[in-house]
Amino acid sequence: MRVKIVAGNWKMNNDKEETEALIEALKSKGKFTGVQVRIAPTSVNLVQAVNATKDTDIKVSAQNMHYSSSGAFTGEISANMLESIGVNSIILGHSERRAYFNETDADLEKKVAKAIQHDMEVIFCFGEELNDRKENTHFDVVEKQLKAALFSIQPSDWKYIVLAYEPVWAIGTGETASPEQVQEMHAFIRQLIENQFGKIVADNVSILYGGSVKPANAQEIFSKPDVDGGLIGGAALNADDFFAIIQSA
Ligand code: 13P
């Protein structure tokens, strides 16, 4: 069944004490109803986050991992390592990883396959740049990104996949895609999945929106029929704002 999810991508923010404080502040908000919550702290604070969220309904995601199991990949983290500390959710394909760390569609296809092998949830990010939208090629760009990384998986593997449409021009800019633009793209994405994998897969996959989601705009975006929650950056660093966004889902 399709679920509502609100995930906080903390990016390279929050040291050990700040991680602890933010998790405690979130925990103090009580239970979340009708929505699943994820937080994605930086890798050095994952163990701490897993421990601090035990016995809560907050699940911890990692922000990146390598597609190999182990080996000479200085600075990288493997799926086995994440699994061994109790992390079984991963954000892959974020536009910042694609832009600043040269992550390619081919890398992502391998990372997705590795995550699935490890029974890990994949929050798969994709989205067009401003120029693509100006040139009206945003649907083509999104289709290409999804096909390259996800169309080689089995229909049964879609239970691991959460999609996160994040137009690059809306990330950290304060500029949000309009609820109509988001719905239009999400409906397009769901149709693409249906064409390739069938209606049941398409109906069941959660499609999140990310890009300058705030308490003030969350409810309107999340009310659209093909929007199943959000992937939140800046506003996830504040417990009150994040909680307000969670409650909007
Ligand atoms: P902002 O919410 O800060 O725009 O970031 C969105 C994002 O990149 C989440 O992954």
PDB file of all heavy atoms in Angstrom, residues 9 11 91 94-96 125 166 170-174 210-214 231-235, ligand 1:
ATOM      1  N   ASN A   9      16.471  15.365   5.085  1.00  0.00           N
ATOM      2  CA  ASN A   9      17.854  15.189   4.635  1.00  0.00           C
ATOM      3  C   ASN A   9      18.691  16.291   5.285  1.00  0.00           C
ATOM      4  O   ASN A   9      18.618  17.447   4.884  1.00  0.00           O
ATOM      5  CB  ASN A   9      17.903  15.296   3.104  1.00  0.00           C
ATOM      6  CG  ASN A   9      19.322  15.228   2.567  1.00  0.00           C
ATOM      7  OD1 ASN A   9      20.268  14.949   3.304  1.00  0.00           O
ATOM      8  ND2 ASN A   9      19.475  15.482   1.272  1.00  0.00           N
ATOM      9  N   LYS A  11      21.810  16.705   5.185  1.00  0.00           N
ATOM     10  CA  LYS A  11      23.004  17.071   4.401  1.00  0.00           C
ATOM     11  C   LYS A  11      24.231  17.157   5.332  1.00  0.00           C
ATOM     12  O   LYS A  11      24.311  16.383   6.278  1.00  0.00           O
ATOM     13  CB  LYS A  11      22.743  18.357   3.619  1.00  0.00           C
ATOM     14  CG  LYS A  11      21.449  18.255   2.801  1.00  0.00           C
ATOM     15  CD  LYS A  11      21.223  19.390   1.840  1.00  0.00           C
ATOM     16  CE  LYS A  11      19.911  19.163   1.098  1.00  0.00           C
ATOM     17  NZ  LYS A  11      19.643  20.178   0.087  1.00  0.00           N
ATOM     18  N   ILE A  91      19.380   7.386   1.017  1.00  0.00           N
ATOM     19  CA  ILE A  91      19.067   8.386  -0.014  1.00  0.00           C
ATOM     20  C   ILE A  91      20.094   8.204  -1.133  1.00  0.00           C
ATOM     21  O   ILE A  91      21.299   8.238  -0.877  1.00  0.00           O
ATOM     22  CB  ILE A  91      19.166   9.817   0.555  1.00  0.00           C
ATOM     23  CG1 ILE A  91      18.114  10.045   1.644  1.00  0.00           C
ATOM     24  CG2 ILE A  91      19.005  10.853  -0.566  1.00  0.00           C
ATOM     25  CD1 ILE A  91      18.239  11.383   2.375  1.00  0.00           C
ATOM     26  N   HIS A  94      20.944  12.087  -4.980  1.00  0.00           N
ATOM     27  CA  HIS A  94      20.651  13.500  -4.718  1.00  0.00           C
ATOM     28  C   HIS A  94      21.411  14.379  -5.712  1.00  0.00           C
ATOM     29  O   HIS A  94      22.549  14.089  -6.081  1.00  0.00           O
ATOM     30  CB  HIS A  94      21.037  13.870  -3.280  1.00  0.00           C
ATOM     31  CG  HIS A  94      20.444  15.171  -2.868  1.00  0.00           C
ATOM     32  ND1 HIS A  94      20.990  16.374  -3.228  1.00  0.00           N
ATOM     33  CD2 HIS A  94      19.318  15.458  -2.174  1.00  0.00           C
ATOM     34  CE1 HIS A  94      20.217  17.344  -2.751  1.00  0.00           C
ATOM     35  NE2 HIS A  94      19.210  16.823  -2.100  1.00  0.00           N
ATOM     36  N   SER A  95      20.796  15.478  -6.115  1.00  0.00           N
ATOM     37  CA  SER A  95      21.403  16.336  -7.150  1.00  0.00           C
ATOM     38  C   SER A  95      22.751  16.900  -6.687  1.00  0.00           C
ATOM     39  O   SER A  95      23.622  17.174  -7.518  1.00  0.00           O
ATOM     40  CB  SER A  95      20.465  17.472  -7.523  1.00  0.00           C
ATOM     41  OG  SER A  95      20.167  18.257  -6.393  1.00  0.00           O
ATOM     42  N   GLU A  96      22.925  17.049  -5.366  1.00  0.00           N
ATOM     43  CA  GLU A  96      24.234  17.541  -4.893  1.00  0.00           C
ATOM     44  C   GLU A  96      25.311  16.482  -5.090  1.00  0.00           C
ATOM     45  O   GLU A  96      26.458  16.805  -5.398  1.00  0.00           O
ATOM     46  CB  GLU A  96      24.113  17.965  -3.414  1.00  0.00           C
ATOM     47  CG  GLU A  96      23.289  19.243  -3.285  1.00  0.00           C
ATOM     48  CD  GLU A  96      22.508  19.383  -1.987  1.00  0.00           C
ATOM     49  OE1 GLU A  96      22.791  18.661  -1.020  1.00  0.00           O
ATOM     50  OE2 GLU A  96      21.597  20.235  -1.952  1.00  0.00           O
ATOM     51  N   CYS A 125      16.467  10.081  -5.579  1.00  0.00           N
ATOM     52  CA  CYS A 125      16.255  11.486  -5.953  1.00  0.00           C
ATOM     53  C   CYS A 125      16.594  11.739  -7.423  1.00  0.00           C
ATOM     54  O   CYS A 125      17.537  11.151  -7.957  1.00  0.00           O
ATOM     55  CB  CYS A 125      17.146  12.407  -5.123  1.00  0.00           C
ATOM     56  SG  CYS A 125      17.011  12.178  -3.358  1.00  0.00           S
ATOM     57  N   GLU A 166      12.967  16.124  -7.052  1.00  0.00           N
ATOM     58  CA  GLU A 166      13.540  17.351  -6.510  1.00  0.00           C
ATOM     59  C   GLU A 166      14.085  18.209  -7.655  1.00  0.00           C
ATOM     60  O   GLU A 166      15.234  18.018  -8.081  1.00  0.00           O
ATOM     61  CB  GLU A 166      14.691  17.019  -5.551  1.00  0.00           C
ATOM     62  CG  GLU A 166      14.281  16.215  -4.346  1.00  0.00           C
ATOM     63  CD  GLU A 166      15.232  16.419  -3.170  1.00  0.00           C
ATOM     64  OE1 GLU A 166      16.463  16.272  -3.347  1.00  0.00           O
ATOM     65  OE2 GLU A 166      14.756  16.753  -2.090  1.00  0.00           O
ATOM     66  N   ALA A 170      14.750  24.333  -7.308  1.00  0.00           N
ATOM     67  CA  ALA A 170      13.943  24.622  -6.114  1.00  0.00           C
ATOM     68  C   ALA A 170      14.658  24.219  -4.821  1.00  0.00           C
ATOM     69  O   ALA A 170      14.135  24.417  -3.737  1.00  0.00           O
ATOM     70  CB  ALA A 170      12.611  23.890  -6.216  1.00  0.00           C
ATOM     71  N   ILE A 171      15.860  23.659  -4.941  1.00  0.00           N
ATOM     72  CA  ILE A 171      16.555  23.159  -3.747  1.00  0.00           C
ATOM     73  C   ILE A 171      17.351  24.277  -3.083  1.00  0.00           C
ATOM     74  O   ILE A 171      18.260  24.844  -3.700  1.00  0.00           O
ATOM     75  CB  ILE A 171      17.486  21.979  -4.100  1.00  0.00           C
ATOM     76  CG1 ILE A 171      16.653  20.787  -4.581  1.00  0.00           C
ATOM     77  CG2 ILE A 171      18.340  21.586  -2.915  1.00  0.00           C
ATOM     78  CD1 ILE A 171      17.478  19.598  -5.018  1.00  0.00           C
ATOM     79  N   GLY A 172      16.974  24.593  -1.866  1.00  0.00           N
ATOM     80  CA  GLY A 172      17.709  25.572  -1.070  1.00  0.00           C
ATOM     81  C   GLY A 172      17.623  26.988  -1.620  1.00  0.00           C
ATOM     82  O   GLY A 172      18.377  27.863  -1.205  1.00  0.00           O
ATOM     83  N   THR A 173      16.717  27.217  -2.538  1.00  0.00           N
ATOM     84  CA  THR A 173      16.632  28.538  -3.184  1.00  0.00           C
ATOM     85  C   THR A 173      15.479  29.362  -2.641  1.00  0.00           C
ATOM     86  O   THR A 173      15.391  30.559  -2.911  1.00  0.00           O
ATOM     87  CB  THR A 173      16.392  28.368  -4.702  1.00  0.00           C
ATOM     88  OG1 THR A 173      15.188  27.605  -4.880  1.00  0.00           O
ATOM     89  CG2 THR A 173      17.546  27.664  -5.367  1.00  0.00           C
ATOM     90  N   GLY A 174      14.569  28.713  -1.909  1.00  0.00           N
ATOM     91  CA  GLY A 174      13.364  29.400  -1.459  1.00  0.00           C
ATOM     92  C   GLY A 174      12.310  29.411  -2.556  1.00  0.00           C
ATOM     93  O   GLY A 174      11.161  29.792  -2.335  1.00  0.00           O
ATOM     94  N   GLY A 210      10.603  17.320  -3.140  1.00  0.00           N
ATOM     95  CA  GLY A 210      11.608  18.043  -2.354  1.00  0.00           C
ATOM     96  C   GLY A 210      12.042  19.302  -3.062  1.00  0.00           C
ATOM     97  O   GLY A 210      12.205  19.322  -4.295  1.00  0.00           O
ATOM     98  N   GLY A 211      12.254  20.355  -2.295  1.00  0.00           N
ATOM     99  CA  GLY A 211      12.709  21.636  -2.854  1.00  0.00           C
ATOM    100  C   GLY A 211      11.980  22.776  -2.163  1.00  0.00           C
ATOM    101  O   GLY A 211      10.848  23.089  -2.515  1.00  0.00           O
ATOM    102  N   SER A 212      12.656  23.349  -1.140  1.00  0.00           N
ATOM    103  CA  SER A 212      12.104  24.505  -0.403  1.00  0.00           C
ATOM    104  C   SER A 212      10.721  24.250   0.192  1.00  0.00           C
ATOM    105  O   SER A 212       9.880  25.140   0.209  1.00  0.00           O
ATOM    106  CB  SER A 212      12.091  25.747  -1.298  1.00  0.00           C
ATOM    107  OG  SER A 212      13.420  26.095  -1.672  1.00  0.00           O
ATOM    108  N   VAL A 213      10.505  23.012   0.674  1.00  0.00           N
ATOM    109  CA  VAL A 213       9.259  22.752   1.405  1.00  0.00           C
ATOM    110  C   VAL A 213       9.387  23.374   2.800  1.00  0.00           C
ATOM    111  O   VAL A 213      10.402  23.204   3.476  1.00  0.00           O
ATOM    112  CB  VAL A 213       8.965  21.239   1.530  1.00  0.00           C
ATOM    113  CG1 VAL A 213       7.697  21.001   2.352  1.00  0.00           C
ATOM    114  CG2 VAL A 213       8.829  20.602   0.154  1.00  0.00           C
ATOM    115  N   LYS A 214       8.367  24.116   3.178  1.00  0.00           N
ATOM    116  CA  LYS A 214       8.334  24.808   4.472  1.00  0.00           C
ATOM    117  C   LYS A 214       6.967  24.542   5.109  1.00  0.00           C
ATOM    118  O   LYS A 214       6.033  24.126   4.409  1.00  0.00           O
ATOM    119  CB  LYS A 214       8.497  26.332   4.263  1.00  0.00           C
ATOM    120  CG  LYS A 214       9.704  26.748   3.436  1.00  0.00           C
ATOM    121  CD  LYS A 214      11.002  26.676   4.233  1.00  0.00           C
ATOM    122  CE  LYS A 214      12.198  27.039   3.361  1.00  0.00           C
ATOM    123  NZ  LYS A 214      13.300  26.147   3.383  1.00  0.00           N
ATOM    124  N   LEU A 231      10.666  15.305   0.813  1.00  0.00           N
ATOM    125  CA  LEU A 231      12.060  15.177   1.252  1.00  0.00           C
ATOM    126  C   LEU A 231      12.517  16.604   1.566  1.00  0.00           C
ATOM    127  O   LEU A 231      12.551  17.467   0.683  1.00  0.00           O
ATOM    128  CB  LEU A 231      12.909  14.543   0.144  1.00  0.00           C
ATOM    129  CG  LEU A 231      14.395  14.334   0.462  1.00  0.00           C
ATOM    130  CD1 LEU A 231      14.601  13.495   1.719  1.00  0.00           C
ATOM    131  CD2 LEU A 231      15.108  13.637  -0.713  1.00  0.00           C
ATOM    132  N   ILE A 232      12.842  16.814   2.837  1.00  0.00           N
ATOM    133  CA  ILE A 232      12.993  18.171   3.339  1.00  0.00           C
ATOM    134  C   ILE A 232      14.459  18.437   3.675  1.00  0.00           C
ATOM    135  O   ILE A 232      15.094  17.627   4.371  1.00  0.00           O
ATOM    136  CB  ILE A 232      12.145  18.361   4.634  1.00  0.00           C
ATOM    137  CG1 ILE A 232      10.766  17.687   4.507  1.00  0.00           C
ATOM    138  CG2 ILE A 232      12.033  19.835   5.007  1.00  0.00           C
ATOM    139  CD1 ILE A 232       9.899  18.164   3.368  1.00  0.00           C
ATOM    140  N   GLY A 233      14.984  19.558   3.225  1.00  0.00           N
ATOM    141  CA  GLY A 233      16.361  19.934   3.549  1.00  0.00           C
ATOM    142  C   GLY A 233      16.380  20.913   4.709  1.00  0.00           C
ATOM    143  O   GLY A 233      16.242  20.533   5.872  1.00  0.00           O
ATOM    144  N   GLY A 234      16.524  22.184   4.409  1.00  0.00           N
ATOM    145  CA  GLY A 234      16.694  23.228   5.426  1.00  0.00           C
ATOM    146  C   GLY A 234      15.682  23.169   6.561  1.00  0.00           C
ATOM    147  O   GLY A 234      16.054  23.253   7.743  1.00  0.00           O
ATOM    148  N   ALA A 235      14.416  22.999   6.222  1.00  0.00           N
ATOM    149  CA  ALA A 235      13.378  23.041   7.260  1.00  0.00           C
ATOM    150  C   ALA A 235      13.407  21.811   8.173  1.00  0.00           C
ATOM    151  O   ALA A 235      12.784  21.815   9.235  1.00  0.00           O
ATOM    152  CB  ALA A 235      12.002  23.188   6.613  1.00  0.00           C
TER     153      ALA A 235
HETATM  154  P1  13P B   1      15.624  22.322   0.780  1.00  0.00           P
HETATM  155  O1  13P B   1      14.370  21.849   1.489  1.00  0.00           O
HETATM  156  O2  13P B   1      16.596  23.004   1.691  1.00  0.00           O
HETATM  157  O3  13P B   1      15.298  23.097  -0.454  1.00  0.00           O
HETATM  158  O4  13P B   1      16.389  20.987   0.283  1.00  0.00           O
HETATM  159  C1  13P B   1      15.690  20.011  -0.389  1.00  0.00           C
HETATM  160  C2  13P B   1      16.582  18.839  -0.535  1.00  0.00           C
HETATM  161  O5  13P B   1      17.565  18.889  -1.243  1.00  0.00           O
HETATM  162  C3  13P B   1      16.246  17.618   0.220  1.00  0.00           C
HETATM  163  O6  13P B   1      17.019  16.538  -0.200  1.00  0.00           O
END
